[in-house]
Amino acid sequence: MDTRSHLAQADLAPLLATYVHLSGDRPLLETYRPYITGPWAFHEATPEMLKEALYDRLATLLDDLHAGRRHAARPDRATLHEIMNTCVGQPVPDEYLPLILHDIGVDETAPLDVSWRTPPERARLDRFKVLIIGAGESGLCAAIKLRQIGIGFVMVERNDHVGGTWYENDYPGCAVDTPNHFYQYSFEPNHDWSRYFSPAREIRAYLDRCADKYGIRPLIRFRTEVLALHWEDSSSVWSVRLRRSDGVIETLRVQAVISAVGHISIPSVPSLPGLDEYEGPRFHTSRWDHSVALNSKRVGMIGTGASGMQVGPSIIDEVASLSIFQRSAQWAIRNPLYFSEVKPGKKWALKNVPFYANWYRFQLFWASADGLHPKLRVDPGWTHHPLSLNAEHDAIRQSLVDHLTEQLEGDAELIRKAMPAYPPYGKRMLRDNHWYRMLKNPKTALVTESIERVTREGVRTADGVEHPLDVIVFATGFQASRLTWPMEITGRGSVTLRERWGEDDPRAYLGMTVPGFPNLFLMFGPNTNLAHGGSAIFHSECQTRYILLALRELIESGSDSLECRPDVHDEYNRRVDDAHAQMVWTHPRVSSWYRNSSGRVFSLSPWRLLDYWDMTRHFDPAQYRIERTSA
Ligand code: NAP
């Protein structure tokens, strides 16, 4: 294929952005602006003639640049801002410029990679060791960046492989539902994702490649589990008790700990009456038993969250019947690209056209995350509908209702059962991966009666109906509030993290640091989960940057411990709660695992990605008690 044919398979808005970026031809934006009506524009509306004209222009420009007949323009900030607005069909506030210019790689201000201000003495660095717990995407991110700056670490992983949640979850249909070209490290773009929402195995392979490319794998102690951490005040070290792969208990001493154990890794299986009497195989989605063949089996699936919604349509063809036990119906949004493969021309453009990948990432950032955030804020004067928050949110709700109704082809009973009773985005928005089509399948039974008990042969519901089942799948989620569990983490004054947090009220400053627990950093900690959209990997990069800044402060200042001030921590958590009070996640119709038993949202970040990026790009020593214990 020639350049032009490749370009014809790429996305129009980022191609336009790229062309104007490289050529400086700002007026051209006006020509295309009327057809780009939002960040998820699929350009059906753009006349063919205009599409063709853009491919021609860009192909010629790339040839000229390649041959040295022209030089790439260096657009000023105003032009870049105009490109952003046009690219997503919406005005992007000025405040986004620093983040986006940085991400696009045209930020002339300080790079965000952390480097030494005063390189420490070798001996000091050699004495400083960090423990990283967990080799999932966040632990790997921390390891890569620590290695780059030269801070030594020990990395342990309880599994025999890297990948964390992407390693543990390999149920049928498991795939990412954040656009993949944003769900990747910014410093390691993969231009070969097979799909826009790739299957879990591809993400596993990506993380595998990163572990190898950055030299992390040989540094990981696999099948090694941290049992306990104990802060020793007299020497300012964490004493770490771990179980090695051979079962032997070992003690390590390290100066700092990064816990990257994830937020949703401990399966939650409801203790249903009679469960132990059941004679067939049963397993949780994250512990899928591949030795159990499902073909021609009567399968029961309990739960209809993100995991269940991926499992159901993936197994429906092979099973004899699928009984779905639904406690609450979930919203599911359509995305025309959900099943699409990324075309070769688009992959080519990502690899070969300067800035195209960056502009595409920006488009996804806006479409799948911050562009949505204001729509999830409650308008106090809004009374139009009990399940919407404001006019824009109501438009989303209506389009979801329309989609559901259309997909269920007017089946009133099914529509009643499948219609959620909470405002959209109050829980994670799911992708309609043929879920509704599966509900229409004669093999599917959507059971909304509550489960009374499990019997030897299946499940009995409260209406007395017996549901004979050969296999039971628990798609019932995770024990999210038990962050860092089952590790026993004991900080200053012999207080454990569990005592500090109680049963289900984890709190931290920026989701990362906790008073009384010096030199301990949590990744994917309290109030850092994302539900308006966005990529957990984006957050991991923010957290890694902040942790590196903190460690740099500790090492360069010759100090031994760094502990978040209680007033800073408490004030931050007040702000988190105040922000949540304005958002969909505290709406009275929403009950979710994001909230604890007193209703507080402990899991989710209330912030836009921009806010969190801003809060974590500097480290303010005044917010910490920084001490030197050694002479
Ligand atoms: P989940 O969202 O917590 O869903 C659990 C489901 O089980 C819900 O439908 C819940 O009903 C139901 N349930 C829980 N306890 C029950 C009980 N005792 N009886 C009957 N039903 C019960 O869990 P998940 O689906 O595993 O997803 C967890 C998180 O993992 C997601 O939010 C997401 O962050 C992540 N995830 C991501 C992807 C992806 O990127 N593609 C895929 C899977 C998971 P209620 O709604 O009534 O509570």
Side-chain angles (χ1 to χ4, degrees), residues 171 175 177 264 304-307 310 327-328 330 427-428 475 477 593:
Y171 56 79
D177 58 13
I264 37 178
T304 52
S307 304
Q310 291 185 328
R327 188 164 66 181
S328 4
Q330 317 277 354
K427 301 186 196 183
R428 186 185 172 89
W593 61 264

Side-chain angles (χ1 to χ4, degrees), residues 166 169 171 174-178 264 268 270-272 284-285 302-310 325-330 338 427-428 430 451 475-478 529-530 591-594:
W166 292 110
N169 285 272
Y171 56 79
C174 187
V176 68
D177 58 13
T178 298
I264 37 178
S268 168
S271 44
L272 298 167
H284 186 268
T285 44
I302 305 174
T304 52
S307 304
M309 242 191 211
Q310 291 185 328
F325 298 90
Q326 173 187 280
R327 188 164 66 181
S328 4
Q330 317 277 354
Y338 192 77
K427 301 186 196 183
R428 186 185 172 89
L430 306 178
I451 297 174
T476 40
F478 298 86
N529 190 10
L530 286 166
S591 72
S592 70
W593 61 264
Y594 301 147

Side-chain angles (χ1 to χ4, degrees), residues 323-380:
S323 303
I324 298 172
F325 298 90
Q326 173 187 280
R327 188 164 66 181
S328 4
Q330 317 277 354
W331 292 107
I333 201 165
R334 167 187 171 269
N335 186 311
L337 294 179
Y338 192 77
F339 290 107
S340 306
E341 302 214 326
V342 182
K343 295 201 172 121
K346 173 151 179 157
K347 291 182 187 170
W348 180 90
L350 287 165
K351 279 180 213 156
N352 295 295
V353 179
F355 297 115
Y356 175 77
N358 309 75
W359 282 112
Y360 180 52
R361 181 174 157 96
F362 162 63
Q363 188 193 25
L364 294 178
F365 164 85
W366 195 253
S368 73
D370 275 16
L372 196 64
H373 194 276
K375 298 177 187 165
L376 307 186
R377 192 171 297 137
V378 177
D379 170 357

